[in-house]
Amino acid sequence: MAINLKHSSTLYVNHFDPITKALELLLIKKEVIVTLSYDPVPAANVHAPAFTHNKFLVFGPLNTLEFLIDFFPEPRAFPNDPTNRAIHRMVITDILDNMYPLYDTNLEELSRKLNASVTAITDTDFFLNNSVYAIDCLLAPLLCKCLPTNNLAPELIRYTMRLEEFFEKKKRAQEIYEIQQRAEYSSWH
C-alpha cells in the first residue's frame, strides 16, 4: 500500500537531471507519493535535487538519496548483508562521480562504462537480479539514455527492459491508489 505524503513532503527536481529521475524511481519503488516541484528550492544557495518533509530540508544528490532510503526503510533499497551494503554504497558513489557526468556529454563513454560494470559487479547480490535496489534506480536513467545508441551489452538491454516494466507497474499502482484516495475523500465531503 502506498504512503501518501503529498501534503507534507516535496521533492524538488530538475526536469533534465538524471539524478532527479533516479530519486523519483526510488520513491516509486518504495511506493511513496510526494509532491514533485520544479520550482526553485525555497532556501538560499540550494539547488535540486532536494527533499523537504515538515520544514526539514536535505539537499545534494547523495544526501537526498541516503535520506530517502533511511526515512522510508521499507521496502529495502540496500541488500541486507553489510558487505554487500558497503559495496552497494561504493558503486553508487562511483556511478554518481564517474557516470552521471557523462549523461549529457559522452554517451559512447557512458555506454562503455555501463558495459564494463556488467563484468565488474554481476557477481554481487544486487545487480542484474530480481530485486530492485537503490543502485537500480540510479542506473535506470543512464541505461534508458544509452539504449537508443545500440552500444549496450545484451544483458544490459534485458535489464533495462525489466527495470522499465517494474517501474511502470509500480507507477500504475500508485496512480490507481491516488484515484481511490481522491474518490474516498470526495465521498466523505
Side-chain angles (χ1 to χ4, degrees), residues 109-161:
E109 179 64 11
L110 177 57
S111 296
R112 189 190 66 69
K113 286 186 179 218
L114 287 166
N115 287 329
S117 69
V118 170
T119 55
I121 60 176
T122 51
D123 61 340
T124 65
D125 292 340
F126 58 83
F127 188 66
L128 294 172
N129 65 24
N130 291 327
S131 298
V132 174
Y133 293 116
I135 194 168
D136 300 294
C137 298
L138 285 169
L139 286 172
L142 303 176
L143 292 165
C144 289
K145 178 84 172 197
C146 290
L147 197 58
T149 68
N150 294 318
N151 290 332
L152 292 177
E155 308 96 298
L156 285 180
I157 293 170
R158 287 189 297 276
Y159 175 63
T160 304
M161 300 307 206

Side-chain angles (χ1 to χ4, degrees), residues 11-179:
L11 179 63
Y12 290 90
V13 294
N14 176 337
H15 274 294
F16 308 108
D17 182 13
I19 188 68
T20 292
K21 188 62 179 171
L23 294 171
E24 288 179 53
L25 293 174
L26 180 67
L27 290 171
I28 289 169
K29 176 225 180 328
K30 291 182 162 292
E31 299 181 2
V32 175
I33 301 166
V34 300
T35 300
L36 292 179
S37 175
Y38 298 97
D39 294 333
V41 180
N45 299 317
V46 174
H47 303 283
F51 182 76
T52 61
H53 178 71
N54 292 334
K55 298 184 181 183
F56 174 75
L57 170 69
V58 63
F59 56 92
L62 192 55
N63 295 338
T64 304
L65 175 75
E66 291 275 348
F67 180 79
L68 292 175
I69 289 169
D70 291 342
F71 195 74
F72 305 108
E74 296 298 329
R76 296 191 56 82
F78 284 134
N80 287 330
D81 172 56
T83 302
N84 277 333
R85 240 185 349 266
I87 293 168
H88 196 102
R89 285 188 168 96
M90 288 187 293
V91 171
I92 285 174
T93 301
D94 183 58
I95 291 168
L96 289 172
D97 292 348
N98 298 312
M99 292 186 193
Y100 269 78
L102 300 171
Y103 184 82
D104 285 322
T105 61
N106 191 339
L107 288 183
E108 188 174 312
E109 179 64 11
L110 177 57
S111 296
R112 189 190 66 69
K113 286 186 179 218
L114 287 166
N115 287 329
S117 69
V118 170
T119 55
I121 60 176
T122 51
D123 61 340
T124 65
D125 292 340
F126 58 83
F127 188 66
L128 294 172
N129 65 24
N130 291 327
S131 298
V132 174
Y133 293 116
I135 194 168
D136 300 294
C137 298
L138 285 169
L139 286 172
L142 303 176
L143 292 165
C144 289
K145 178 84 172 197
C146 290
L147 197 58
T149 68
N150 294 318
N151 290 332
L152 292 177
E155 308 96 298
L156 285 180
I157 293 170
R158 287 189 297 276
Y159 175 63
T160 304
M161 300 307 206
R162 187 180 61 76
L163 286 176
E164 285 178 338
E165 182 180 318
F166 172 84
F167 287 118
E168 191 56 40
K169 284 180 184 175
K170 287 281 191 180
K171 195 169 188 173
R172 275 196 304 272
Q174 274 189 355
E175 289 166 355
I176 291 168
Y177 174 79
E178 286 188 80
I179 290 168

